Amino acid sequence: MILTVTLNTALDLTYRVPALTPHASHRVTHVLERPGGKGVNVARVLGALGHDTVVTGFAGGPNGAVLRNLLARCPVRDALVPISGNTRRTLAVVDDATGDTTQLNEPGPTVTPQEWAAFVARYNDLLPAADAVALCGSLPPGIHVGAYAELIRTARGAGVPVLLDTSGEPLRRGIAARPDIVKPNADELAQLTGAREPERAARDARRRGAHAVVASLGPAGLLAVTATGLWQATPPATVSGNPTGAGDSAVAGLLSALVDQLPWPDRLSRAVALSTATVLSPVAGEFERARYEQLLPEVAVQAQSPAA
């Protein structure tokens, strides 16, 4: 079983408009609702790949009820902890004329100390059956900034490999707890380390405690700095589309390959193929299995010489 943790779940709303114009009224041509938050998105991709996947975190209020109803239609298991606050919404407005997406994210409900204690108990109950755990996304109000570091130490104590995908101070503190993998993007790495060059920044992040750093480079693919080598994986060609959810698909690919015990080049191939298939999908944050399988052997993975 793969366990994904989303402390700040979301009810994702997508609006499509013919063209997005500031200061103007718009007629929405299509509305899509789905369960969201980074770890939930990762879980949906893992479920589509056939992995037994459990989702935990928080959900509450009317939005949380809708989220859980939608999640029941996905090939994942719901172990979310109820809270009194109303789950946040995220709104993506897709401009059909340009393909650009404008994202508006609510901050999330405040989590009480009692609700956090209930989640920690649920997490401890789920860990013994987990082959890997992913800790993903932002922290909602009320959750202490070292929460991910605490959850990493618990997972490591249980012998469960853990992947961390967050940013800012939660990333800084989480890395110090020695997760097996962190997956920041280039901007998050630069914020963490002060270095703009990806390999240098990834090496610095690994020195801070992560066993492996997989940096998302956008259209250039992924760069992995690990104990056994450096690799860069790139898509077969420059692609255009909606990048919403592509990073979450990459995390799902890394986790899937981790539990399948694949070597690093194959892990990166799976992650890049999934993220590229997500960009190319007509539905934001989804992927087509046939497209993914077509892309997988076309991903280029090259060993990198260490920088001087």
Side-chain angles (χ1 to χ4, degrees):
M1 177 266 282
I2 300 176
L3 177 64
T4 73
V5 173
T6 311
L7 298 178
N8 210 5
T9 57
L11 177 60
D12 285 349
L13 303 173
T14 300
Y15 289 172
R16 301 193 74 96
V17 298
L20 183 61
T21 305
H23 316 298
S25 296
H26 296 80
R27 186 175 298 278
V28 176
T29 58
H30 182 74
V31 179
L32 175 67
E33 278 187 328
R34 66 178 186 183
K38 291 184 71 65
V40 173
N41 297 338
V42 170
R44 289 191 296 104
V45 174
L46 288 168
L49 290 173
H51 289 279
D52 178 22
T53 309
V54 174
V55 173
T56 191
F58 297 108
N63 291 340
V66 174
L67 182 152
R68 298 185 82 162
N69 286 335
L70 293 170
L71 194 61
R73 306 174 195 173
C74 301
V76 302
R77 290 188 278 150
D78 178 352
L80 293 168
V81 174
I83 58 174
S84 59
N86 194 22
T87 294
R88 67 183 177 130
R89 295 162 296 183
T90 66
L91 176 62
V93 183
V94 180
D95 183 329
D96 285 334
T98 64
D100 292 338
T101 300
T102 299
Q103 191 82 20
L104 303 172
N105 297 333
E106 296 178 359
T110 297
V111 176
T112 68
Q114 294 78 17
E115 290 164 345
W116 170 250
F119 165 77
V120 171
R122 177 72 56 85
Y123 181 73
N124 285 324
D125 288 342
L126 292 167
L127 270 180
D131 298 309
V133 60
L135 308 174
C136 302
S138 61
L139 299 178
I143 299 296
H144 63 95
V145 73
Y148 282 140
E150 176 184 335
L151 298 178
I152 290 166
R153 287 191 290 267
T154 303
R156 289 183 56 79
V160 180
V162 56
L163 182 151
L164 176 64
D165 183 12
T166 189
S167 61
E169 190 62 21
L171 173 61
R172 187 182 307 276
R173 298 200 185 192
I175 279 184
R178 302 186 61 79
D180 294 86
I181 304 171
V182 293
K183 199 215 70 68
N185 61 35
D187 288 339
E188 291 162 350
L189 263 182
Q191 183 184 21
L192 175 70
T193 66
R196 298 299 307 182
E197 197 283 314
E199 182 183 323
R200 179 180 175 185
R203 284 180 171 278
D204 188 345
R206 187 169 178 273
R207 282 193 293 268
R208 293 167 185 249
H211 289 261
V213 177
V214 180
S216 176
L217 306 179
L222 297 175
L223 172 70
V225 178
T226 79
T228 56
L230 282 73
W231 292 272
Q232 183 162 355
T234 55
T238 300
V239 297
S240 61
N242 188 344
T244 302
D248 301 331
S249 291
V251 170
L254 292 171
L255 281 169
S256 170
L258 171 66
V259 299
D260 286 345
Q261 300 181 349
L262 299 183
W264 270 108
D266 293 335
R267 296 188 198 185
L268 297 172
S269 292
R270 185 173 292 187
V272 169
L274 279 170
S275 62
T276 304
T278 301
V279 171
L280 293 171
S281 172
V283 178
E286 305 289 340
F287 77 98
E288 295 177 354
R289 183 67 180 255
R291 179 67 63 87
Y292 155 66
E293 292 175 349
Q294 175 188 357
L295 288 166
L296 185 59
E298 299 176 2
V299 175
V301 182
Q302 293 184 328
Q304 301 294 300
S305 300

